[in-house]
Amino acid sequence: MTADTALFEAERPALTALCYRMLGERAGAEDAVQDTWLRWERADHAAIENPSAWLRRTATRIAIDALRSARARRETYPGPWLPEPLVESESLGIEARFELAQECELALLWAMERLSPTERAAFILREAFDAGYDEIATITGKSEAACRQLVSRAHRRLQESGPRFDAPPEDVADLLQRFMAAASALDHDAALSLFAPDAVAFTDGGKKVRAALRPLIGPQDITHVLMAVMAKAMQDKAQWSVEPGLANGGPAIVRRLEGKVDLILTLAPSADGRIAWLYAMRNPDKLPG
């Protein structure tokens, strides 16, 4: 392995984490990092003063372009599009190249979808990678003052999104357990009491499996739909099991149907400790094999 290749491989985990945060997709992140490698191979390394900064700048610009293309595809996605989870459990191990990427909560990834690609890049570079505004300006082609405004605006828009991004893991785990207990018992009233008045639930089936084709808004809507799904599963007498796990480092429920993962469930609480945002991933293309 050459010194230039070794340098790139040392940076690969951070580049993967950056591109995953930008795109919310494993394959997309890997493609962006691979494109960065191809440009690194062709570059005049002797003329590059700071290889780490050069690689981060290149990867970010590639990810910005990739996100713009992805946004067009997501507009025609069948039902809600949700970011792809990085899942761990006793029976599932996270890929080594995504260990740094899993530090980004799914609720935050989802909320960042409301940011423009440039806002998202500025926010991620500043908050996740502690980049200076001079570096962000070089990457985005904007002034340092404009980049400060981008990051500030991103903060405001994310704060308006509803769920908390800093909830203690034990609070999330407790809410998940209480919700699963209520759902398994088909206890409608108990489930209702767990949701904030403006709660929202998203189910991503990717038109591959059954899932709600619209966001579920409010406790009544969420509980009615999810209880109906649970009741049907019981009637079908399917062989399913649940186990605790982690999705992007936070508590999650991993459900298996006939031994295969068919659902990842996690949530983000509201300020008063109830469920503000419920995430249900069912698209087999986004689930662990």
Side-chain angles (χ1 to χ4, degrees):
M1 182 183 293
T2 67
D4 292 331
T5 300
L7 190 155
F8 182 88
E9 291 304 322
E11 296 289 335
R12 184 185 289 274
L15 296 176
T16 302
L18 168 61
C19 292
Y20 173 76
R21 283 173 166 84
M22 282 293 297
L23 299 169
E25 299 174 341
R26 279 185 291 186
E30 290 181 321
D31 288 345
V33 172
Q34 181 61 22
D35 286 347
T36 304
W37 160 250
L38 293 175
R39 297 190 189 186
W40 172 250
E41 271 195 313
R42 298 192 298 265
D44 180 1
H45 299 151
I48 298 174
E49 294 183 7
N50 187 332
S52 294
W54 187 95
L55 288 168
R56 184 155 64 183
R57 179 172 66 250
T58 301
T60 303
R61 288 175 175 171
I62 289 171
I64 287 174
D65 290 341
L67 182 57
R68 287 173 177 150
S69 297
R71 288 277 170 85
R73 296 194 304 274
R74 291 171 191 174
E75 288 178 0
T76 59
Y77 192 80
W81 181 93
L82 287 174
E84 184 175 357
L86 302 174
V87 184
E88 284 185 278
S89 72
E90 289 187 3
S91 57
L92 297 167
I94 193 75
E95 302 98 322
R97 61 192 180 281
F98 282 101
E99 286 178 353
L100 290 178
Q102 68 179 324
E103 297 172 3
C104 187
E105 294 183 11
L106 285 167
L108 180 56
L109 269 180
W110 166 78
M112 283 195 292
E113 284 295 302
R114 68 189 59 206
L115 304 180
S116 72
T118 305
E119 282 177 334
R120 186 165 178 160
F123 175 81
I124 291 168
L125 288 167
R126 182 64 181 170
E127 299 304 319
F129 295 91
D130 199 28
Y133 284 106
D134 55 342
E135 180 182 353
I136 298 172
T138 299
I139 290 172
T140 62
K142 298 182 180 295
S143 68
E144 289 188 35
C147 289
R148 290 180 186 275
Q149 291 179 346
L150 282 175
V151 174
S152 177
R153 187 163 62 241
H155 273 287
R156 289 197 302 272
R157 297 183 74 181
L158 292 173
Q159 288 170 357
E160 296 167 355
S161 65
R164 291 175 58 192
F165 309 123
D166 59 349
E170 56 269 22
D171 291 356
V172 177
D174 178 65
L175 268 176
L176 272 172
Q177 290 169 2
R178 290 161 62 195
F179 173 74
M180 287 301 296
S184 298
L186 299 181
D187 189 335
H188 190 274
D189 290 338
L192 276 177
S193 70
L194 297 175
F195 288 96
D198 57 351
V200 59
F202 297 92
T203 59
D204 182 339
K207 214 173 182 178
K208 301 291 181 73
V209 296
R210 287 189 64 185
L213 294 178
R214 60 175 178 81
L216 305 175
I217 308 296
Q220 289 285 356
D221 194 17
I222 296 170
T223 303
H224 174 75
V225 172
L226 295 183
M227 286 292 185
V229 171
M230 184 64 72
K232 186 177 187 308
M234 291 180 173
Q235 291 169 1
D236 292 344
K237 297 182 179 180
Q239 294 297 312
W240 56 272
S241 61
V242 297
E243 61 181 290
L246 297 174
N248 289 45
I253 296 294
V254 179
R255 189 179 77 174
R256 291 179 179 273
L257 183 63
E258 308 295 343
K260 187 174 182 179
V261 177
D262 90 310
L263 170 68
I264 302 295
L265 185 73
T266 190
L267 55 82
S270 60
D272 65 358
R274 289 183 285 178
I275 300 172
W277 177 79
L278 191 68
Y279 166 106
M281 176 57 68
R282 297 210 62 219
N283 185 345
D285 293 341
K286 297 183 183 182
L287 293 175

